[in-house]
Amino acid sequence: ACLADGAEHGAAVLAVPMKATVKESEDGKFVTRTLERSRLWEIQTPQVIRPQLLRDGFRRVHEENLEVTDDVSIVEQLGEPVKLTLGEYTNLKLTTPEDMIVAEQILASRD
């Protein structure tokens, strides 16, 4: 579905609605505000982008020294739309040893 959305819209990303409450803090010590969860999406992989759009985005990021956190944020810097494609909560980002334990449990449950 994400590939088809990327082909149709130029850029697409798998995502799931946020379950967690997200707080913003300016100093890392005190809460500034609570972000509205209904508007927040947890981004997953894959992120699908038309090659020319990505090249144009990388050029702009380089020329303007912009800060980006993932591939689709490059497309956002161009002002182009990024389609959210509904993913699955089991599509985990594997970053920490604890993530591997959870992933192994998910895989074991599918046997």
Side-chain angles (χ1 to χ4, degrees):
C2 192
L3 288 173
D5 284 346
E8 181 178 346
H9 300 283
V13 63
L14 278 183
V16 290
M18 287 286 287
K19 292 193 248 180
T21 297
V22 179
K23 305 285 187 182
E24 184 177 41
S25 173
E26 293 179 12
D27 60 7
K29 297 178 182 178
F30 295 95
V31 171
T32 304
R33 68 184 176 125
T34 302
L35 302 178
E36 187 180 335
R37 180 176 30 210
S38 66
R39 300 182 61 192
L40 300 176
W41 289 76
E42 184 176 337
I43 301 305
Q44 303 174 322
T45 56
Q47 298 184 14
V48 179
I49 304 167
R50 286 188 188 135
Q52 187 58 51
L53 190 58
L54 190 58
R55 283 190 288 272
D56 293 346
F58 271 119
R59 187 176 309 107
R60 182 167 188 181
V61 166
H62 177 73
E63 289 172 356
E64 298 180 21
N65 198 30
L66 301 173
E67 188 173 322
V68 294
T69 59
D70 64 359
D71 292 342
V72 294
S73 62
I74 294 169
V75 176
E76 293 170 49
Q77 291 291 344
L78 292 171
E80 296 292 331
V82 176
K83 176 74 167 82
L84 293 170
T85 304
L86 187 60
E88 298 178 9
Y89 288 103
T90 56
N91 183 12
L92 304 177
K93 181 176 180 181
L94 302 177
T95 306
T96 66
E98 294 82 10
D99 296 335
M100 290 300 295
I101 294 168
V102 173
E104 288 169 354
Q105 291 171 343
I106 290 170
L107 290 175
S109 73
R110 291 182 177 179
D111 288 341

